[in-house]
Amino acid sequence: MKHILNLYENINSTARNNSDCPAVILPEEIFFTVSIVGVLENLMVLLAVAKNKSLQSPMYFFICSLAISDMLGSLYKILENVLIMFRNMGYLEPRGSFESTADDVVDSLFILSLLGSICSLSVIAADRYITIFHALQYHRIMTPHRALVILTVLWAGCTGSGITIVTFSHHVPTVIAFTALFPLMLAFILCLYVHMFLLARSHTRRTPSLPKANVRGAVTLTVLLGVFIFCWAPFVLHVLLMTFCPADPYCACYMSLFQVNGVLIMCNAIIDPFIYAFRSPELRVAFKKMVICNCYQ
């Protein structure tokens, strides 16, 4: 977000003087390399689902939605680096109208990545809930067509929200609403988890165990959620500190890790495809077929 980056560049000098924590600066090559790997990995996920009819089910459609979110987060950094390169080469006027518009577009991709990840994880959680506790009605409740309609509405809402957030990013209420989405999503999934746990205890008394595939899906969601929180929570905290205590030396000390928090976000896009492949035998087979076919072409 431009608002966040501008605040970061203009941290109160008193806070910097009172803080013993120098800003951690990472080479741009690290960001660029991690972003490229993230885009390629998630593109492989999309291609694997597109090429294999056995994977074209609601569950994998929702996984593709999360992969697109991760890919947008990586693409954001790639485009930002390209803009910086063009500006340093003199092809873009610093702070000019074109650069300002391009910044808004790039920032929208970043916000869309976070919103898309939040909504995709929430939909995956709801899908796992239906799979586990309404298994007999699952294929009637969650058809491929209905899943695509859900994703269309989801991404339309995320796109509109992302544009609105970037447009009004200089307003404190916008920042509060933006950061509030993070705990709200966690609260929603936590409620589903608690309900699943209570129902699972009830079902266990009547049946020996739940199907292994359903349990595997719930575990996969747990791992994805844990990685998402680990990678994005530091940045969300950074946004809050930049908004409410930019001059405080303790806040400034944490904000010196701004670029480290950025790398964590990029790493999320790299880790997720490994989780899909490790937890899903079907997707793992699809990856192997893609690699073998490319090697023999």
Side-chain angles (χ1 to χ4, degrees), residues 25-234:
I25 306 299
L26 300 178
E28 283 298 322
E29 290 78 8
I30 293 179
F31 287 96
F32 193 75
T33 302
V34 173
S35 299
I36 289 292
V37 174
V39 170
L40 293 177
E41 284 188 5
N42 286 283
L43 188 59
M44 279 190 63
V45 174
L46 298 179
L47 290 175
V49 174
K51 288 185 175 182
N52 294 270
K53 290 186 177 180
S54 60
L55 298 179
Q56 294 174 10
S57 63
M59 179 183 70
Y60 286 104
F61 289 163
F62 297 143
I63 286 179
C64 284
S65 177
L66 186 58
I68 291 173
S69 301
D70 289 337
M71 195 161 58
L72 288 177
S74 298
L75 189 61
Y76 147 80
K77 193 59 185 177
I78 295 173
L79 294 178
E80 185 183 61
N81 283 358
V82 171
L83 288 175
I84 292 174
M85 181 181 66
F86 282 163
R87 185 178 63 183
N88 293 339
M89 294 173 63
Y91 293 115
L92 289 178
E93 179 186 354
R95 308 295 180 181
S97 58
F98 179 81
E99 185 184 17
S100 179
T101 303
D103 280 341
D104 287 340
V105 173
V106 172
D107 290 342
S108 296
L109 289 179
F110 178 78
I111 301 301
L112 188 59
S113 173
L114 176 57
L115 296 178
S117 296
I118 290 174
C119 293
S120 297
L121 284 170
S122 299
V123 172
I124 291 174
D127 180 72
R128 291 299 86 200
Y129 177 86
I130 298 173
T131 303
I132 293 175
F133 298 110
H134 300 280
L136 297 179
Q137 296 85 23
Y138 176 79
H139 294 291
R140 179 176 58 83
I141 297 173
M142 191 62 67
T143 63
H145 178 264
R146 189 168 294 174
L148 292 176
V149 170
I150 291 173
L151 291 177
T152 300
V153 174
L154 181 152
W155 279 99
C158 289
T159 302
S161 300
I163 294 173
T164 302
I165 289 173
V166 171
T167 303
F168 299 99
S169 61
H170 56 285
H171 296 294
V172 173
T174 304
V175 177
I176 295 175
F178 169 69
T179 53
L181 291 173
F182 197 82
L184 286 175
M185 181 272 291
L186 296 182
F188 169 74
I189 296 180
L190 180 61
C191 289
L192 283 182
Y193 265 53
V194 171
H195 198 195
M196 279 193 282
F197 174 75
L198 295 176
L199 286 178
R201 288 185 61 185
S202 175
H203 282 213
T204 303
R205 294 169 185 167
R206 289 175 287 176
T207 58
S209 62
L210 293 171
K212 290 185 178 180
N214 294 347
V215 175
R216 188 190 306 121
V219 173
T220 300
L221 171 63
T222 304
V223 176
L224 288 172
L225 181 61
V227 171
F228 174 78
I229 294 173
F230 178 80
C231 293
W232 279 93

Side-chain angles (χ1 to χ4, degrees), residues 11-23 238 241-242 244-257:
I11 293 176
N12 187 283
S13 60
T14 303
R16 287 189 174 184
N17 293 333
N18 292 337
S19 174
D20 295 328
C21 306
H238 181 96
L241 296 181
M242 289 298 298
F244 296 107
C245 62
D248 185 270
Y250 294 102
C251 295
C253 189
Y254 177 83
M255 290 184 290
S256 66
L257 300 174

